[in-house]
Amino acid sequence: MLSRVSAVACCLSLSALQVAGSAVAMELPLPPPGEDVVGQVQVVEARYEDTFADLGVANDLGYLEMVAANPGVDPWLPGAGTPIVLPTRFILPPGPREGIVINLAEYRLYYYPKGQNVVHTYPLGIGREGWSSPVTQARITAKTPNPGWYPPQSIRDEHAADGDPLPSYVPPGPDNPLGPYKMTLSVPGYLIHGSNKKFGIGMRVSHGCFRMLNNNVLELADMVPVGTSVRIINEPYKFGRSAGKVYLEAHTPLDDEGDAAAVDRHAAVINTLIRRDDLNALNLDWDVVREVIAAEDGLPIEIAAPEHGVVQQSATL
């Protein structure tokens, strides 16, 4: 079994042959039955003017997932010629592949169009500390182009306290924080919408709603009918199969206080693994699992291949 470092290097050496300078089309074919991994990691060479925010917008990636996949690289001045990892390979979220699935821990939305063998995936801005986005089952109840915004009193009070008072109504246009489109959820007070700010997509920045890049929200709204289910989960650790191998993708766990250190990561991984009955005939490499948990880089890393043994859930993980 490769160490995590070797596995990443191998993955990148293959993906580098597929590098393209244009934006990634994040419509990905679904894997065969019984498999969970979609897309390919890519590498681009930074230009002098590039920032992680720019590269994220161009490739449908959020800011924090760019930072996690490129440890040690300055996100605001990577430097001309610096290889930049684009984390465009994903383990699909657990559960039914239908409707919209939002995974808070990876700041990402997945949409499975009915009757099509594809998934569309987009980065999201989610609720910041104190305004956390809910983990729940919902549906889209309305779609509104060019929405106006009536700021809730709680948000008006917050802005007033910061010396930035808001009007009672913000009309459609470039100053509207809802962007060009909003989709209302059945959970009162929550929306999926665009934004008048590019920075913040893929971060904890909102008052609980889900922010998208404007081109993404317009594309999604064109595909998604009213009544579509919206399943919101918080899964920092995802296990998946692909081509006879098993992968683990790790993200920084979230809690309402933003204190990731309070989470028992190893216990969370074991609990996630226990829910995957199909992995019980495998012998996991726990050294690699520990490295993946520590890295939290959002990249699917191989942790096992099919064997006739059983999963050995080491107490020393």
Side-chain angles (χ1 to χ4, degrees), residues 220-306:
L220 181 65
D222 190 53
M223 295 186 289
V224 173
V226 170
T228 297
S229 65
V230 180
R231 183 165 57 94
I232 305 171
I233 63 177
N234 184 11
E235 295 284 351
Y237 306 111
K238 298 186 297 178
F239 288 89
R241 288 177 174 270
S242 180
K245 299 177 181 178
V246 177
Y247 294 82
L248 172 61
E249 178 182 319
H251 301 266
T252 302
L254 299 177
D255 61 25
D256 194 42
E257 288 73 37
D259 185 8
V263 178
D264 187 337
R265 292 161 169 79
H266 300 128
V269 167
I270 291 294
N271 289 335
T272 302
L273 178 61
I274 289 172
R275 298 197 298 268
R276 289 291 301 263
D277 293 337
D278 60 318
L279 302 184
N280 287 339
L282 300 172
N283 189 4
L284 305 188
D285 186 324
W286 290 106
D287 289 335
V288 177
V289 170
R290 280 189 285 269
E291 292 181 21
V292 174
I293 295 170
E296 295 179 344
D297 59 15
L299 300 173
I301 302 297
E302 181 189 345
I303 58 169

Side-chain angles (χ1 to χ4, degrees), residues 129 157 163 182 199 251:
E129 292 83 353
D157 291 345
K182 73 174 184 181
F199 187 74
H251 301 266

Side-chain angles (χ1 to χ4, degrees), residues 78-152:
T82 300
I84 304 297
V85 176
L86 302 181
T88 48
R89 192 182 198 200
F90 312 95
I91 297 175
L92 294 173
R97 295 173 188 175
E98 57 187 34
I100 289 173
V101 180
I102 292 172
N103 188 6
L104 301 177
E106 58 178 318
Y107 307 91
R108 183 157 286 276
L109 177 153
Y110 297 83
Y111 173 54
Y112 302 92
K114 191 173 183 178
Q116 301 182 38
N117 197 39
V118 299
V119 60
H120 300 260
T121 182
Y122 306 100
L124 292 177
I126 67 171
R128 57 185 171 83
E129 292 83 353
W131 296 85
S132 57
S133 302
V135 174
T136 188
Q137 181 73 43
R139 69 184 187 280
I140 292 176
T141 58
K143 296 165 56 177
T144 308
N146 300 312
W149 184 44
Y150 294 88

